[in-house]
Amino acid sequence: MSHDPNCLFCKISQGLIPSQKVYEDEEIYAFKDINPAAPVHFLVIPKKHIPMLESAESIDAPLLGRMMELAPRLAKEQGCRPGKDGGFRLMVNNGADGGQEVYHLHLHVMGGPRPWKK
Ligand code: 5GP
Ligand code: ZN
């Protein structure tokens, strides 16, 4: 598994920095956002250090697919209501203009009753 020793989210996925874990398997880690913008707000990350969405390669496509597939299941487990009246938002910030602050690819999963902070 390729990690960047200076990367915050690599450290979190390896348990070197504490986090509120939501899910973990061999290649994916999910944890609650430290500054939630919605009643439910967690991040899904690959354990492999991929800095941005645009640095992902074709070989990473199944991994990205698995992250997307996991999101609805974890959203429900974290309290998002199912169906049309419930749901959640998925967001990937890519680069400075996209609002990316941490350069380890992550999927924001946000949900819960509105209004939200953002
Ligand atoms: P970005 O702007 O890069 O898409 O989002 C980074 C997210 O990571 C932000 O929502 C921020 O609150 C969250 N974050 C930053 N540092 C930490 C941390 O140390 N622990 C946790 N759990 N979340 C963090
Ligand atoms: Zn990393």
Side-chain angles (χ1 to χ4, degrees), residues 20-37:
Q20 284 186 271
K21 181 161 90 175
V22 164
Y23 175 84
E24 179 171 21
D25 66 33
E26 323 74 57
E27 51 181 11
I28 294 173
Y29 190 80
F31 58 105
K32 292 192 182 172
D33 197 292
I34 207 166
N35 182 23

Side-chain angles (χ1 to χ4, degrees), residues 8-9 12 19 31-35 41 43 93 99-102 106 108:
L8 174 63
F9 285 180
I12 285 179
S19 66
F31 58 105
K32 292 192 182 172
D33 197 292
I34 207 166
N35 182 23
H41 186 176
L43 307 174
N93 296 330
Q100 186 173 8
E101 288 172 1
V102 178
H106 49 280
H108 290 261

